[in-house]
Amino acid sequence: MGRFGYLVLWILISLFSVGAAVSGEKVALVIGNSRYEHVSQLPNAAQDATDIAQTLNRLGFRVLYGTDLSRSEILSLAQQTRKSLAPDDIALFYFAGHAVQIGAENFIIPVDAHGEDADTIKQTSVKLQTILAEMESKADRNIVILDACRNNPFAISAASRSIGGFARGLAKVDAGVGSFIAFSTQPGNIALDGDGRNSPFTTALLKYLPSADDDLHEVMRKVRRSVVEATNSSQIPWENSSLIERIYLGVQPSRPSTIGELPAPSPQPQRIPQPQQFDQTAFPYEVAGLNPNGDGFLALRSGTTSSSQRLLKMPEGTPLQVLGQAGVWFNVRTASGAVGWAHSKWIRFVGVRGSLPQESCDSLWYERNAIFARNGYCFRSARGRQTFSNAGCRVGVSAGNIPLSAAERREVARLVAREKALHCR
């Protein structure tokens, strides 16, 4: 074989080796729980999950993501993840929040978990091994990353990621060949929530995960070094691995060519730092009108369909900015900086908060017409077209025939009466 033949053979072997590490899809389940109902809250956990989800999305992962989830929601999302996996995929599970060891088993804590004894906490929590088993049943390469406490004393600091536990440290996790499990701290220690936006562990992950030059083991070595330095050696990340090949999460998987029309990419949540002081005047809309017998939240989604990925849950009264509109869907920003799409049926204009001592003709006009805009009315006046987008509106449907709910019609009548009282019309 000549020199050129050896060169071609070397290139083919190299391409095959890289392909083996990144073949299939990369699928991630990301959960961050901050707003616990019965144990201490963790301000950074949901933010950690949001930032990890964004980073993994940029690295080519298909991300299933949620924050402040109940037990049933966690189990449902885990099942969704399992159904979407194939043997050649890389599956990743990231969790930020409270965790506890009971007996020889580890449990991640949903926001609605409760109980003062082991049996009750088991029944209201989610066994870590259950999620790992869901992943291993479908994918050959599995990664679990836990930014959760590994020490569970009964008396704890409000800033630590542990609740009253029954053993020191999390139990050993039995994982099959091809699995990698990373803990944010060593056995018998606590994982800090952090003073900034992210925990020390997640801060390091966000820095090193995108590296295309480092495999997963090298990434974790760098993460460990960074956390040790940031915490003065009080927190030392730990991992168990049974991987038999190198995995490079920062390597973008090759995609086959596609013939035909490509769908428009769904907007992803943007990381926007939380303002030091909440500016109420910047959020003239809010979540309102939710069914009191329903699930109690409006979903912020990645796209303009009910099947789009849910980014987070917005309870009644959540203040919002409306950035744009596509039919009956509003592109909104929350006060925490998350950006996505939400159905306009449960979004109300409430005016500029705190800036108007009394109603004005302009605010009443805007509020009344916002109701028609979110239900698809096509505005004909220059003022209406300039203020509201006609994109996706119901062409040819008059204002009287726009399908408003009974509550919306009552609100329109109230606004019209106020406009007449102020001699606006």
Side-chain angles (χ1 to χ4, degrees):
M1 184 181 295
R3 182 180 300 175
F4 179 75
Y6 281 113
L7 177 61
V8 171
L9 179 61
W10 179 84
I11 291 173
L12 290 174
I13 292 174
S14 300
L15 289 174
F16 178 82
S17 299
V18 172
V22 299
S23 60
E25 279 198 288
K26 296 190 291 187
V27 182
L29 169 60
V30 178
I31 297 172
N33 284 346
S34 286
R35 297 183 179 181
Y36 284 92
E37 299 172 8
H38 304 288
V39 295
S40 58
Q41 298 197 4
L42 299 170
N44 285 347
Q47 297 174 164
D48 290 338
T50 298
D51 293 348
I52 287 291
Q54 293 169 353
T55 296
L56 293 176
N57 183 271
R58 289 193 293 268
L59 296 179
F61 277 82
R62 181 157 47 86
V63 180
L64 290 86
Y65 157 69
T67 59
D68 298 330
L69 301 185
S70 66
R71 182 178 187 274
S72 62
E73 290 171 332
I74 291 176
L75 292 174
S76 175
L77 205 55
Q79 290 171 359
Q80 283 183 249
T81 305
R82 175 186 175 277
K83 291 177 182 178
S84 68
L85 291 173
D88 289 338
D89 291 345
I90 295 176
L92 185 150
F93 171 56
Y94 170 93
F95 175 76
H98 283 308
V100 65
Q101 177 188 344
I102 303 176
E105 297 176 314
N106 300 317
F107 293 82
I108 63 174
I109 310 301
V111 294
D112 58 348
H114 62 275
E116 297 180 356
D117 58 83
D119 288 339
T120 305
I121 293 179
K122 281 183 178 181
Q123 293 168 5
T124 59
S125 299
V126 177
K127 189 187 301 185
L128 174 62
Q129 195 66 38
T130 298
I131 295 180
L132 182 58
E134 293 274 11
M135 295 164 56
E136 289 184 336
S137 68
K138 296 293 291 290
D140 294 334
R141 292 166 292 174
N142 298 279
I143 302 164
V144 174
I145 301 176
L146 299 174
D147 195 354
C149 192
R150 299 197 66 193
N151 181 35
N152 304 293
F154 284 100
I156 59 165
S157 164
S160 69
R161 292 192 176 180
S162 169
I163 68 170
F166 308 91
R168 294 182 63 83
L170 293 183
K172 178 183 176 181
V173 178
D174 294 323
V177 174
S179 293
F180 179 95
I181 302 170
F183 303 93
S184 57
T185 191
Q186 72 272 37
N189 201 4
I190 61 172
L192 302 177
D193 194 54
D195 297 326
R197 177 179 173 85
N198 301 115
S199 73
F201 180 67
T202 294
T203 296
L205 280 176
L206 293 170
K207 180 178 180 181
Y208 295 113
L209 272 182
S211 173
D213 298 324
D214 297 328
D215 75 330
L216 186 57
H217 287 98
E218 181 60 26
V219 165
M220 289 309 302
R221 278 192 286 271
K222 292 182 176 180
V223 167
R224 183 160 43 247
R225 184 184 307 116
S226 178
V227 173
V228 167
E229 292 174 354
T231 64
N232 293 320
S233 300
S234 66
Q235 181 176 332
I236 305 173
W238 213 260
E239 72 248 17
N240 296 330
S241 175
S242 60
L243 294 177
I244 58 176
E245 64 180 20
R246 295 179 184 271
I247 292 181
Y248 295 83
L249 298 184
V251 176
Q252 295 288 348
S254 57
R255 303 287 185 184
S257 299
T258 301
I259 299 176
E261 182 179 357
L262 293 175
S266 298
Q268 297 300 321
Q270 301 175 10
R271 179 184 176 184
I272 301 175
Q274 177 72 25
Q276 294 295 318
Q277 190 172 15
F278 175 51
D279 180 10
Q280 291 187 324
T281 63
F283 296 86
Y285 292 81
E286 71 177 19
V287 176
L290 297 178
N291 182 356
N293 298 319
D295 49 24
F297 67 87
L298 173 63
L300 182 71
R301 299 191 180 275
S302 62
T304 57
T305 65
S306 58
S307 61
S308 298
Q309 175 191 342
R310 191 178 76 195
L311 305 177
L312 54 83
K313 300 184 295 184
M314 301 184 295
E316 185 90 12
T318 300
L320 298 171
Q321 283 181 333
V322 173
L323 308 177
Q325 183 181 359
V328 297
W329 291 82
F330 279 173
N331 185 213
V332 299
R333 175 184 289 129
T334 69
S336 64
V339 175
W341 294 86
H343 200 289
S344 61
K345 181 177 179 180
W346 294 279
I347 297 175
R348 300 289 184 268
F349 178 79
V350 293
V352 181
R353 301 161 182 262
S355 65
L356 294 176
Q358 57 184 4
E359 293 171 315
S360 68
C361 290
D362 285 341
S363 69
L364 291 168
W365 177 91
Y366 191 98
E367 187 173 355
R368 173 172 54 82
N369 283 283
I371 294 173
F372 287 93
R374 64 173 171 260
N375 284 284
Y377 177 65
C378 295
F379 289 90
R380 301 175 184 176
S381 68
R383 183 184 184 187
R385 291 196 304 269
Q386 183 178 4
T387 306
F388 303 99
S389 169
N390 275 347
C393 66
R394 305 168 186 262
V395 178
V397 179
S398 66
N401 291 323
I402 289 293
L404 304 183
S405 67
E408 287 172 325
R409 292 197 180 279
R410 287 195 298 269
E411 181 64 7
V412 168
R414 184 190 72 81
L415 294 169
V416 169
R418 290 300 303 146
E419 288 177 287
K420 289 181 178 178
L422 295 177
H423 304 288
C424 299
R425 328 165 32 100

